[in-house]
């Protein structure tokens, strides 16, 4: 027989209570893992190191929680431990929106980005991972079934909860209600599950207070911004004053687009895009990473009638660009992934601008030989690729490898200092000399002469030797980007 009779020394719970506890623990933990990645992004980016830290830390503490829960098993401390584990999960969900941000900021200030991401993940995810992982082995021990049957059913239910929490956080909580309110929702199910645990009604009542606490943390989000919006892809922030409007995605210290209200130069690298059509044989321009449309504006101001196609992954960013940044209606927009676009589009362009960043880091798959090969097919004869590279702390951490990678596809690669730690990399469809590029820039129209002169000041052949070629199979650009931005 698969069943067994409970004895006075062995407590037992109704199967529904066990299922509710296991399901809610899995749901809440996975919600907090997804939310934690988003909470960490402003400090550590969306790099392989950050997600590796999140997953590794969660699994480490889960292993400890499984062991501890298994040791408690079906003993006299099992039910109190179950109540405590659920309450700890609820408390973590309630307090993380309040305490997580200052703790992560402190970790980012004390450690480099790699070490800090591990420590930051441990700070916000260690406790809930340990506590909520205890739930399933305790429930298996309290089940009326024996051995593998109990473990199999409980862990299956817990895994279903994990699946639900993953999808709920990703497709509803973050884009619809925001990260802080998402933590409040992560507290709901384990708080309710306490109702079905013996002696858990008072615990459930206390846990219920945590839900509005977490929800209240979200009311401070967006203060100081003209617009603040969470989407599946970004946290969109717009700052505006009497002189300018700026677009920030995920981190407030990195500017994705800046426009002056008087139409004057921004003083940033966007100004230099006004001259780049002079480098090609026409004014068909593809902008990968449209953001607020600063590059498109600079080009249209100097090259009226230019045919510009912008590619932007986030439809909400396009809406903001139209509504807040005055993105002109003649700018065509494709809402899709940049790499997917260049691999599938049949169009060719005289200039392809690459300005792709995710939380201030270049996505690795948009900086490989395979990506640039796809871009090269989109560049018309006589055309050029122009890529913005932010590398303020260590120029060659990114510029050298990206030049070597582009040089594996394009015959000529040049680089110009765009100021404030930004560099424009220029790769040509056919072999071109520095003199040829200089002649073209000097022939730029009046509205682009300032930008052309700025590029000419520092334009030089890129150094390719001694730098690695980045590929889809092998790329260390995450680490290089962190070095380029933070110098460590």
């Amino acid at each position: 027989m698969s069943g067994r009779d409970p004895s006075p020394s062995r407590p037992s719970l109704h199967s529904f209570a066990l299922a509710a506890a296991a399901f809610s623990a899995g749901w809440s933990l996975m919600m907090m893992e997804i939310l934690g990645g988003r909470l960490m992004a402003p400090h550590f980016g969306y790099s392989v190191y950050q997600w590796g830290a999140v997953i590794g830390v969660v699994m480490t503490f889960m292993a400890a929680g499984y062991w501890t829960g298994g040791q408690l098993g079906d003993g006299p401390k099992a039910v109190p431990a179950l109540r405590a584990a659920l309450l700890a999960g609820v408390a973590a969900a309630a307090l993380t929106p309040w305490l997580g941000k200052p703790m992560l900021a402190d970790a980012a200030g004390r450690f480099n980005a790699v070490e800090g991401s591990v420590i930051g993940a441990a700070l916000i995810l260690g406790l809930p991972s340990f506590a909520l992982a205890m739930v399933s082995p305790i429930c298996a021990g309290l089940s009326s079934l024996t051995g593998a049957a109990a473990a199999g059913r409980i862990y299956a239910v817990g895994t279903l909860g994990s699946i639900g929490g993953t999808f709920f956080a990703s497709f509803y909580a973050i884009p619809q209600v925001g990260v802080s309110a998402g933590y409040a929702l992560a507290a709901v199910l384990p708080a309710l599950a306490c109702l079905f645990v013996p002696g858990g009604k008072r615990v459930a009542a206390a846990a219920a207070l945590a839900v509005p606490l977490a929800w209240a943390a979200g009311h401070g989000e967006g203060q100081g911004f003209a617009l603040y919006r969470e989407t599946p892809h970004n946290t969109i922030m717009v700052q505006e004053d009497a002189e300018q409007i700026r677009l920030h995605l995920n981190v407030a210290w990195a500017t994705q687009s800046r426009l002056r209200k008087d139409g004057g130069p921004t003083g940033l690298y966007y100004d230099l895009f006004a001259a780049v059509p002079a480098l090609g044989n026409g004014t068909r321009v593809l902008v990968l990473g449209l953001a607020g449309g600063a590059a498109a504006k600079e080009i249209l101001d100097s090259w009226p009638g230019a045919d510009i196609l912008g590619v932007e992954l986030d439809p909400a960013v396009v809406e903001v660009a139209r509504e807040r940044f005055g993105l002109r209606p003649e700018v065509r927009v494709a809402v899709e992934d940049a790499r997917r676009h260049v691999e599938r589009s049949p169009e060719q362009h005289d200039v392809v601008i690459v300005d792709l960043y995710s939380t201030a880091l270049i996505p690795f798959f948009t900086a490989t030989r395979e990506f640039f090969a796809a871009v090269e097919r989109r560049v018309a004869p006589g055309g050029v690729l122009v890529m913005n590279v932010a590398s303020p702390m260590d120029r060659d951490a990114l510029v050298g490898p990206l030049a070597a990678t582009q040089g594996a596809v394009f015959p000529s690669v040049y680089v110009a200092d765009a100021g404030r730690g930004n560099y424009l990399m220029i790769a040509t469809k056919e072999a071109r000399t520095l003199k040829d590029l200089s002649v073209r820039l000097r022939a730029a129209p009046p509205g682009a002469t300032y930008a052309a002169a700025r590029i000419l000041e520092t334009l030089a052949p890129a150094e390719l030797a001694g730098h690695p070629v980045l590929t889809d199979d092998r790329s260390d650009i995450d680490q290089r980007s962190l070095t380029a931005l933070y110098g460590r």
Side-chain angles (χ1 to χ4, degrees), residues 247 249 253-259 265-276 287-296 298-299 353-358 360 362 386-392 416-425 450-452 454-455:
L247 173 66
L249 300 179
W253 54 264
T255 301
Q256 270 66 42
S257 288
R258 180 184 184 217
L259 293 178
T266 66
L268 301 176
Y269 71 93
Y270 315 112
D271 299 338
L272 305 191
F273 287 133
V276 297
V287 181
L288 300 176
L290 182 65
E298 295 296 337
I299 293 170
I353 294 173
V354 177
D355 194 10
L356 296 167
Y357 282 85
S358 175
I362 300 174
V386 179
M387 182 178 188
N388 168 55
V389 179
S391 195
D417 189 336
R420 301 194 181 190
N422 288 84
Y423 300 87
L424 292 187
M425 303 188 64
Y450 165 77
R454 283 278 311 279
I455 294 173

Side-chain angles (χ1 to χ4, degrees), residues 38 135-137 178 214 265 280-281 293 422 470:
R38 192 63 170 254
V135 171
S136 286
N281 284 342
N422 288 84
L470 308 178

Side-chain angles (χ1 to χ4, degrees), residues 32-130:
M32 282 192 272
E33 183 173 353
I34 300 297
L35 294 165
R38 192 63 170 254
L39 198 68
M40 291 174 61
H43 306 283
F44 307 108
Y46 272 137
S47 71
V48 67
Y49 296 103
Q50 185 248 27
W51 280 111
V54 168
I55 295 170
V57 163
V58 167
M59 294 184 71
T60 298
F61 281 89
M62 284 181 69
Y66 286 146
W67 178 273
T68 304
Q71 293 296 105
L72 292 169
D74 56 1
K77 296 182 180 180
V79 173
L82 179 59
R83 291 195 301 263
L86 292 171
L87 182 59
V90 173
L95 295 175
T96 298
W98 295 97
L99 302 180
K101 293 177 183 178
M103 289 193 299
L104 292 171
D106 183 66
R110 292 174 180 269
F111 305 97
N112 65 38
V114 176
E115 295 168 350
S117 62
V118 176
I119 293 169
L123 288 172
I124 66 171
L125 291 167
L127 172 62
S129 299
F130 173 78

Side-chain angles (χ1 to χ4, degrees), residues 70 112 146 178 241 289 370 419 468:
N112 65 38
T146 58
D241 55 34
E370 292 85 352

Side-chain angles (χ1 to χ4, degrees), residues 240-416:
E240 184 173 3
D241 55 34
E243 298 180 352
Q244 63 181 340
I245 181 169
R246 299 191 304 275
L247 173 66
H248 310 278
L249 300 179
N250 301 311
V251 290
W253 54 264
T255 301
Q256 270 66 42
S257 288
R258 180 184 184 217
L259 293 178
R260 280 178 46 172
K261 292 185 176 179
D262 63 3
T266 66
L268 301 176
Y269 71 93
Y270 315 112
D271 299 338
L272 305 191
F273 287 133
V276 297
L279 297 168
N281 284 342
T283 56
R284 297 172 298 170
V285 181
L286 172 65
V287 181
L288 300 176
L290 182 65
K297 176 190 179 299
E298 295 296 337
I299 293 170
L300 286 172
D301 284 349
S302 300
W303 305 80
D307 177 16
I308 300 179
L309 171 61
V311 176
E312 177 58 51
L313 178 63
D314 193 337
V317 170
V318 178
E319 292 176 10
V320 171
R322 297 285 193 197
E323 296 169 4
R324 297 291 184 123
F325 288 80
L327 181 65
R328 300 180 192 178
E330 61 264 37
V331 177
R332 296 182 293 132
V333 177
V335 178
E336 62 179 321
D337 175 78
R339 176 151 176 179
R340 186 182 185 89
H341 178 84
V342 295
E343 288 180 340
R344 299 192 176 194
S345 172
E347 286 193 62
Q348 285 197 316
H349 309 269
D350 302 299
V351 177
V352 176
I353 294 173
V354 177
D355 194 10
L356 296 167
Y357 282 85
S358 175
T359 315
L361 304 181
I362 300 174
F364 91 91
F365 53 89
T366 63
T368 64
R369 181 175 57 199
E370 292 85 352
F371 170 73
F372 291 123
V375 171
E376 192 273 341
R377 294 192 290 272
R378 302 282 70 77
V379 178
V384 295
L385 156 69
V386 179
M387 182 178 188
N388 168 55
V389 179
S391 195
M393 299 301 294
D394 188 336
R395 176 185 184 273
D396 277 335
L398 285 178
V399 172
L402 288 172
T405 304
Q406 292 178 10
V409 176
F410 292 88
S412 302
V413 182
Y414 297 85
V415 63

